[in-house]
mmCIF file of all heavy atoms in Angstrom:
data_model
loop_
_atom_site.group_PDB
_atom_site.id
_atom_site.type_symbol
_atom_site.label_atom_id
_atom_site.label_comp_id
_atom_site.label_asym_id
_atom_site.label_seq_id
_atom_site.Cartn_x
_atom_site.Cartn_y
_atom_site.Cartn_z
ATOM 1 N N ASN O 86 -14.052 -21.156 35.377
ATOM 2 C CA ASN O 86 -13.889 -20.902 36.801
ATOM 3 C C ASN O 86 -13.179 -19.589 37.134
ATOM 4 O O ASN O 86 -12.129 -19.300 36.566
ATOM 5 C CB ASN O 86 -13.095 -22.048 37.436
ATOM 6 C CG ASN O 86 -13.684 -23.410 37.099
ATOM 7 O OD1 ASN O 86 -13.615 -23.853 35.951
ATOM 8 N ND2 ASN O 86 -14.263 -24.052 38.072
ATOM 9 N N GLY O 87 -13.760 -18.863 38.063
ATOM 10 C CA GLY O 87 -13.098 -17.691 38.628
ATOM 11 C C GLY O 87 -13.125 -16.414 37.806
ATOM 12 O O GLY O 87 -12.453 -15.444 38.163
ATOM 13 N N THR O 88 -13.903 -16.379 36.708
ATOM 14 C CA THR O 88 -13.875 -15.194 35.847
ATOM 15 C C THR O 88 -14.649 -14.004 36.403
ATOM 16 O O THR O 88 -14.468 -12.881 35.942
ATOM 17 C CB THR O 88 -14.434 -15.525 34.454
ATOM 18 O OG1 THR O 88 -15.756 -16.062 34.598
ATOM 19 C CG2 THR O 88 -13.560 -16.534 33.717
ATOM 20 N N GLY O 89 -15.532 -14.241 37.370
ATOM 21 C CA GLY O 89 -16.296 -13.138 37.947
ATOM 22 C C GLY O 89 -17.786 -13.216 37.707
ATOM 23 O O GLY O 89 -18.481 -12.195 37.777
ATOM 24 N N LYS O 90 -18.318 -14.411 37.446
ATOM 25 C CA LYS O 90 -19.750 -14.572 37.153
ATOM 26 C C LYS O 90 -20.625 -14.113 38.309
ATOM 27 O O LYS O 90 -21.542 -13.301 38.126
ATOM 28 C CB LYS O 90 -20.064 -16.050 36.865
ATOM 29 C CG LYS O 90 -19.363 -16.613 35.633
ATOM 30 C CD LYS O 90 -19.608 -18.094 35.461
ATOM 31 C CE LYS O 90 -18.953 -18.944 36.542
ATOM 32 N NZ LYS O 90 -17.500 -18.787 36.575
ATOM 33 N N THR O 91 -20.378 -14.640 39.503
ATOM 34 C CA THR O 91 -21.224 -14.353 40.652
ATOM 35 C C THR O 91 -21.210 -12.862 40.972
ATOM 36 O O THR O 91 -22.258 -12.249 41.210
ATOM 37 C CB THR O 91 -20.753 -15.192 41.864
ATOM 38 O OG1 THR O 91 -20.744 -16.574 41.480
ATOM 39 C CG2 THR O 91 -21.661 -15.002 43.059
ATOM 40 N N THR O 92 -20.048 -12.264 40.957
ATOM 41 C CA THR O 92 -19.915 -10.833 41.231
ATOM 42 C C THR O 92 -20.598 -10.014 40.139
ATOM 43 O O THR O 92 -21.262 -9.008 40.412
ATOM 44 C CB THR O 92 -18.424 -10.450 41.322
ATOM 45 O OG1 THR O 92 -17.750 -11.366 42.183
ATOM 46 C CG2 THR O 92 -18.247 -9.048 41.876
ATOM 47 N N LYS O 96 -23.691 -7.173 40.243
ATOM 48 C CA LYS O 96 -23.604 -5.856 39.602
ATOM 49 C C LYS O 96 -24.747 -5.651 38.608
ATOM 50 O O LYS O 96 -25.347 -4.576 38.513
ATOM 51 C CB LYS O 96 -22.282 -5.728 38.843
ATOM 52 C CG LYS O 96 -21.014 -5.774 39.697
ATOM 53 C CD LYS O 96 -19.815 -5.835 38.747
ATOM 54 C CE LYS O 96 -18.489 -5.930 39.473
ATOM 55 N NZ LYS O 96 -17.373 -6.040 38.499
ATOM 56 N N ARG O 117 -19.848 -25.619 44.035
ATOM 57 C CA ARG O 117 -18.647 -25.076 44.663
ATOM 58 C C ARG O 117 -18.885 -24.665 46.113
ATOM 59 O O ARG O 117 -19.967 -24.181 46.467
ATOM 60 C CB ARG O 117 -18.134 -23.873 43.867
ATOM 61 C CG ARG O 117 -16.635 -23.657 44.051
ATOM 62 C CD ARG O 117 -16.258 -22.212 43.925
ATOM 63 N NE ARG O 117 -16.799 -21.459 45.028
ATOM 64 C CZ ARG O 117 -17.187 -20.204 44.950
ATOM 65 N NH1 ARG O 117 -17.084 -19.550 43.808
ATOM 66 N NH2 ARG O 117 -17.677 -19.584 45.998
ATOM 67 N N GLN O 123 -22.293 -17.034 48.918
ATOM 68 C CA GLN O 123 -21.689 -15.870 48.264
ATOM 69 C C GLN O 123 -22.745 -15.086 47.492
ATOM 70 O O GLN O 123 -22.850 -13.861 47.614
ATOM 71 C CB GLN O 123 -20.574 -16.341 47.319
ATOM 72 C CG GLN O 123 -19.808 -15.228 46.640
ATOM 73 C CD GLN O 123 -18.850 -15.757 45.569
ATOM 74 O OE1 GLN O 123 -18.814 -16.952 45.272
ATOM 75 N NE2 GLN O 123 -18.068 -14.865 44.979
ATOM 76 N N GLY O 169 -18.641 -22.312 37.750
ATOM 77 C CA GLY O 169 -17.579 -22.168 36.766
ATOM 78 C C GLY O 169 -17.299 -23.556 36.186
ATOM 79 O O GLY O 169 -17.378 -24.549 36.900
ATOM 80 N N LYS O 229 -12.572 -7.513 35.109
ATOM 81 C CA LYS O 229 -11.228 -7.218 35.634
ATOM 82 C C LYS O 229 -10.433 -6.290 34.719
ATOM 83 O O LYS O 229 -9.199 -6.370 34.650
ATOM 84 C CB LYS O 229 -10.466 -8.524 35.925
ATOM 85 C CG LYS O 229 -11.291 -9.469 36.843
ATOM 86 C CD LYS O 229 -10.610 -10.791 37.136
ATOM 87 C CE LYS O 229 -11.625 -11.798 37.671
ATOM 88 N NZ LYS O 229 -11.085 -13.160 37.838
ATOM 89 N N ASP O 231 -10.086 -3.367 35.332
ATOM 90 C CA ASP O 231 -9.448 -2.385 36.210
ATOM 91 C C ASP O 231 -7.998 -2.799 36.499
ATOM 92 O O ASP O 231 -7.260 -2.050 37.140
ATOM 93 C CB ASP O 231 -10.223 -2.227 37.529
ATOM 94 C CG ASP O 231 -10.628 -3.556 38.153
ATOM 95 O OD1 ASP O 231 -11.055 -4.471 37.414
ATOM 96 O OD2 ASP O 231 -10.560 -3.681 39.384
ATOM 97 N N GLY O 254 -16.470 -5.274 33.476
ATOM 98 C CA GLY O 254 -16.332 -5.214 34.926
ATOM 99 C C GLY O 254 -15.069 -4.448 35.244
ATOM 100 O O GLY O 254 -14.008 -4.734 34.688
ATOM 101 N N VAL O 255 -15.204 -3.444 36.125
ATOM 102 C CA VAL O 255 -14.034 -2.616 36.435
ATOM 103 C C VAL O 255 -13.778 -2.532 37.927
ATOM 104 O O VAL O 255 -13.300 -1.509 38.432
ATOM 105 C CB VAL O 255 -14.191 -1.194 35.827
ATOM 106 C CG1 VAL O 255 -14.122 -1.261 34.313
ATOM 107 C CG2 VAL O 255 -15.507 -0.561 36.276
ATOM 108 N N GLY O 256 -14.097 -3.591 38.647
ATOM 109 C CA GLY O 256 -13.829 -3.579 40.074
ATOM 110 C C GLY O 256 -14.684 -4.591 40.787
ATOM 111 O O GLY O 256 -15.475 -5.318 40.172
ATOM 112 N N GLU O 257 -14.531 -4.652 42.098
ATOM 113 C CA GLU O 257 -15.195 -5.678 42.897
ATOM 114 C C GLU O 257 -16.455 -5.199 43.596
ATOM 115 O O GLU O 257 -17.086 -5.959 44.320
ATOM 116 C CB GLU O 257 -14.192 -6.236 43.926
ATOM 117 C CG GLU O 257 -12.958 -6.807 43.246
ATOM 118 C CD GLU O 257 -12.040 -7.548 44.179
ATOM 119 O OE1 GLU O 257 -12.412 -8.645 44.625
ATOM 120 O OE2 GLU O 257 -10.945 -7.015 44.472
ATOM 121 N N GLN F 106 -7.391 -11.836 41.605
ATOM 122 C CA GLN F 106 -8.738 -12.342 41.888
ATOM 123 C C GLN F 106 -9.065 -13.561 41.027
ATOM 124 O O GLN F 106 -8.851 -13.558 39.815
ATOM 125 C CB GLN F 106 -9.774 -11.239 41.586
ATOM 126 C CG GLN F 106 -9.735 -10.061 42.529
ATOM 127 C CD GLN F 106 -8.784 -8.946 42.102
ATOM 128 O OE1 GLN F 106 -7.940 -9.117 41.217
ATOM 129 N NE2 GLN F 106 -8.932 -7.802 42.742
HETATM 130 N N1 LIG V 1 -10.673 -6.401 40.155
HETATM 131 C C1 LIG V 1 -11.776 -7.035 39.774
HETATM 132 N N2 LIG V 1 -12.132 -8.172 40.402
HETATM 133 C C2 LIG V 1 -13.260 -8.779 40.008
HETATM 134 C C3 LIG V 1 -14.073 -8.281 38.959
HETATM 135 N N3 LIG V 1 -15.126 -9.134 38.824
HETATM 136 C C4 LIG V 1 -14.983 -10.096 39.746
HETATM 137 N N4 LIG V 1 -13.852 -9.879 40.475
HETATM 138 C C5 LIG V 1 -13.303 -10.696 41.545
HETATM 139 O O1 LIG V 1 -12.944 -11.939 41.008
HETATM 140 C C6 LIG V 1 -13.061 -12.950 42.006
HETATM 141 C C7 LIG V 1 -13.916 -14.076 41.461
HETATM 142 O O2 LIG V 1 -15.240 -13.588 41.313
HETATM 143 P P1 LIG V 1 -16.498 -14.572 41.339
HETATM 144 O O3 LIG V 1 -17.691 -13.725 41.099
HETATM 145 O O4 LIG V 1 -16.483 -15.422 42.548
HETATM 146 O O5 LIG V 1 -16.167 -15.443 40.069
HETATM 147 P P2 LIG V 1 -16.967 -16.695 39.520
HETATM 148 O O6 LIG V 1 -16.838 -16.702 38.051
HETATM 149 O O7 LIG V 1 -18.373 -16.671 40.020
HETATM 150 O O8 LIG V 1 -16.169 -17.895 40.149
HETATM 151 P P3 LIG V 1 -16.606 -19.440 40.179
HETATM 152 O O9 LIG V 1 -18.058 -19.464 40.509
HETATM 153 O O10 LIG V 1 -15.774 -20.052 41.232
HETATM 154 O O11 LIG V 1 -16.323 -19.968 38.829
HETATM 155 C C8 LIG V 1 -13.647 -12.278 43.235
HETATM 156 O O12 LIG V 1 -12.585 -11.967 44.114
HETATM 157 C C9 LIG V 1 -14.266 -11.000 42.678
HETATM 158 O O13 LIG V 1 -14.323 -9.969 43.619
HETATM 159 C C10 LIG V 1 -13.660 -7.073 38.294
HETATM 160 O O14 LIG V 1 -14.301 -6.558 37.368
HETATM 161 N N5 LIG V 1 -12.515 -6.505 38.756
#
Side-chain angles (χ1 to χ4, degrees):
Chain O
N86 308 70
T88 56
K90 297 175 292 300
T91 305
T92 311
K96 296 172 182 178
R117 206 210 68 212
Q123 184 188 5
K229 307 178 197 173
D231 46 319
V255 291
E257 302 189 71
Chain F
Q106 291 89 346

